[in-house]
């Protein structure tokens, strides 16, 4: 009887050991599966985060486009004619003989940009958050609260500053123009030359 009892106990222990081994093996097999799903959840979260970021970026760009989508007006002077007018931001423009200025009906967003052919004198209204840029061909002149004169011909662009500071650039060339200074830019050689100048003539009518 005792032998039978010992055999029963031995068999029960073997069954328990086999069960424990099976559970251990199953647990070890489940670990890679759990890691896989954990990584999948992390990867899915990253994808969702990036997708949300891209969506917000595109929405911002669309909003920016809508805010910058403006209606342009154009003023032109005839031979021997000059005209003075005020832009929507309060900047004053004197358009000289046979010149054309293309400008927004209303400045929107963080930019104030106009396009000039010929000669014009600008009294730029100060707005430190919205620099004022004048485009003349590939040449750009930017100021904040600046009085300046720009004259364009087929080959030469000149910028004279009476008050404030102007930043001029064309391609890789950049210069700062101070009061009573003038920059001459050659569209042929792509070079800038700075000189001192008496701005009385350019601003005589102002």
């Amino acid at each position: 009887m005792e032998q039978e009892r010992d055999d029963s106990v031995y068999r029960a222990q073997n069954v328990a050991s086999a069960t424990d081994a099976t559970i251990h093996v199953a647990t070890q097999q489940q670990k890679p599966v759990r890691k896989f799903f954990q990584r999948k959840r992390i990867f899915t979260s990253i994808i969702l985060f990036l997708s949300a970021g891209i969506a917000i970026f595109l929405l911002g760009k669309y909003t920016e486009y809508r805010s910058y989508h403006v209606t342009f007006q154009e003023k032109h002077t005839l031979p021997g004619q000059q005209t003075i007018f005020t832009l929507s931001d309060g900047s004053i423009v004197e358009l000289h003989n046979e010149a054309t200025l293309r400008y927004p009906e209303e400045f929107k967003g963080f930019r104030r940009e106009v396009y000039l052919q010929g000669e014009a004198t600008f009294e730029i209204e100060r707005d430190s958050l919205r620099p004022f840029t004048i485009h003349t061909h590939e040449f750009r002149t930017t100021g904040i609260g600046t009085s300046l004169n720009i004259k364009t011909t087929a080959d030469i662009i000149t910028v004279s500053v009476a008050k404030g500071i102007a930043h001029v650039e064309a391609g890789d060339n950049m210069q700062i123009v101070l009061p009573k200074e003038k920059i001459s830019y050659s569209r042929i050689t792509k070079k800038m030359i700075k000189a001192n100048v008496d701005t009385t003539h350019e601003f005589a009518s102002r």
Side-chain angles (χ1 to χ4, degrees), residues 16 33 52 64 66 78 100-101 109 129 136 149 160 163 181 186 198 201:
V33 175
E64 180 182 16
R66 290 295 299 271
L78 300 174
T100 300
L101 186 74
L129 296 179
T136 45
N149 175 273
S160 304
K163 182 183 71 175
E181 288 185 343
S186 170
D198 182 1
H201 175 70

Side-chain angles (χ1 to χ4, degrees), residues 140-179:
R140 294 179 300 280
T141 304
T142 301
I144 295 175
T146 312
S147 297
L148 56 85
N149 175 273
I150 301 179
K151 184 176 182 179
T152 67
T153 65
D155 300 329
I156 301 293
I157 300 171
T158 60
V159 177
S160 304
V161 175
K163 182 183 71 175
I165 298 175
H167 175 269
V168 298
E169 58 181 314
D172 295 331
N173 293 331
M174 293 179 288
Q175 290 277 357
I176 298 295
V177 191
L178 302 175

Side-chain angles (χ1 to χ4, degrees), residues 73-78 85 93 95-103 114-120 122 134-136 152:
Q73 294 183 339
E74 190 171 279
K75 279 195 182 293
H76 177 74
T77 52
L78 300 174
F85 57 98
V93 181
L95 203 58
H96 292 245
N97 174 59
E98 293 188 277
T100 300
L101 186 74
R102 185 169 175 262
Y103 58 96
V114 299
Y115 301 83
L116 173 67
Q117 292 180 352
E119 183 180 3
F122 294 84
I134 304 153
H135 297 267
T136 45
T152 67

Side-chain angles (χ1 to χ4, degrees), residues 13-31:
Q13 289 176 343
N14 285 341
V15 170
S17 297
T19 302
D20 290 342
T22 302
I23 293 173
H24 177 73
V25 170
T27 302
Q28 293 300 317
Q29 289 176 343
Q30 287 176 355
K31 283 184 179 180

